[in-house]
Amino acid sequence: MATFLSSLQKIFLYFILVLIGLYAGMLFNHKICPVETQLNPIEYAKYWKIVDGTFMHERMAIMGPGMGIIFAITILLFLKNWRSLTFLFLVLACIAFAIDINFTLREQLPINAFINDLDLNNMTEVQTKQLIAFQAKAISNFDTRFIHSSISFLLLCLSPFFLNRLHKKSN
């Protein structure tokens, strides 16, 4: 039974590591290829309507909660080892991820909704000014989210280094 639990722990730990790695990588792409900074506000809104409207919104609505569930299952699998460094890094990584999700829901989703609701052919002066402000805020948001996701990923990367010690103790 201990071998089965150990195998299950490893599977879920590496699975969440891959998922968070992909997520952090997506945000890293925004950092190294900041397309949004090179576009005027109208071009940015057109671009973001495509990115969020056809890719991000649908997939992140599934991927975010999915990663949260995998994190929760993984933490529960390691609960017996709550005093281990693996557990500590896992929980801290989950906290960084939760901070990022909260930040995204609070700061980025209202911007996405505003842009997706815009009629780019009939914008008012007020909407144009708001779009300019939101473009700058969205770029800043991605920088912040990159930090959150990187912290989560780096903490998860540390956790497997202590698995062998953890499993030797429990046997």
Side-chain angles (χ1 to χ4, degrees), residues 26-27 29-30 33-37 39-58 60 104 107-118 120 131 134-135 137-139 141-142 145:
M26 180 183 65
L27 291 164
N29 182 59
H30 277 276
C33 184
V35 173
E36 299 90 352
T37 63
L39 303 174
N40 70 46
I42 299 298
E43 291 170 333
Y44 168 73
K46 288 178 184 177
Y47 163 78
W48 197 248
K49 280 178 174 274
I50 293 167
V51 170
D52 186 58
T54 61
F55 173 72
M56 293 280 218
H57 191 78
E58 289 178 13
M60 293 312 290
T104 302
E107 299 293 330
Q108 188 60 42
L109 288 188
I111 295 172
N112 296 355
F114 173 81
I115 292 171
N116 286 326
D117 289 343
L118 278 177
L120 298 177
L131 177 59
F134 277 166
Q135 180 180 6
K137 180 69 173 152
I139 291 165
N141 287 351
F142 272 102
R145 292 179 61 208

Side-chain angles (χ1 to χ4, degrees), residues 34 40 44 72 79-80 152 165 168-169:
N40 70 46
Y44 168 73
L79 200 55
K80 175 181 148 189
S152 184
R165 190 180 324 163
K168 284 178 185 174
K169 275 180 156 178

Side-chain angles (χ1 to χ4, degrees), residues 9-76:
Q9 286 174 326
K10 287 177 185 175
I11 289 168
F12 273 86
L13 180 61
Y14 290 124
F15 186 47
I16 193 64
L17 181 58
V18 168
L19 288 175
I20 294 298
L22 290 171
Y23 180 68
M26 180 183 65
L27 291 164
F28 179 69
N29 182 59
H30 277 276
K31 192 71 175 158
I32 64 170
C33 184
V35 173
E36 299 90 352
T37 63
Q38 304 301 309
L39 303 174
N40 70 46
I42 299 298
E43 291 170 333
Y44 168 73
K46 288 178 184 177
Y47 163 78
W48 197 248
K49 280 178 174 274
I50 293 167
V51 170
D52 186 58
T54 61
F55 173 72
M56 293 280 218
H57 191 78
E58 289 178 13
R59 286 161 182 82
M60 293 312 290
I62 295 167
M63 192 170 169
M67 288 187 296
I69 290 167
I70 300 298
F71 250 127
I73 292 169
T74 307
I75 288 170
L76 288 173

Side-chain angles (χ1 to χ4, degrees), residues 98-142:
I99 289 169
D100 182 59
I101 294 299
N102 181 43
F103 178 81
T104 302
L105 293 172
R106 205 172 17 89
E107 299 293 330
Q108 188 60 42
L109 288 188
I111 295 172
N112 296 355
F114 173 81
I115 292 171
N116 286 326
D117 289 343
L118 278 177
D119 177 358
L120 298 177
N121 295 320
N122 298 306
M123 287 180 47
T124 67
E125 188 177 324
V126 172
Q127 289 174 321
T128 302
K129 287 180 182 178
Q130 187 66 52
L131 177 59
I132 292 167
F134 277 166
Q135 180 180 6
K137 180 69 173 152
I139 291 165
S140 173
N141 287 351
F142 272 102

Side-chain angles (χ1 to χ4, degrees), residues 13 78 81 84-91 158-163 166:
L13 180 61
F78 280 92
N81 311 103
S84 69
L85 286 173
T86 298
F87 184 78
L88 175 66
F89 288 135
L90 184 60
V91 169
L158 291 173
S159 60
F161 289 105
F162 303 98
L163 276 177
L166 174 70

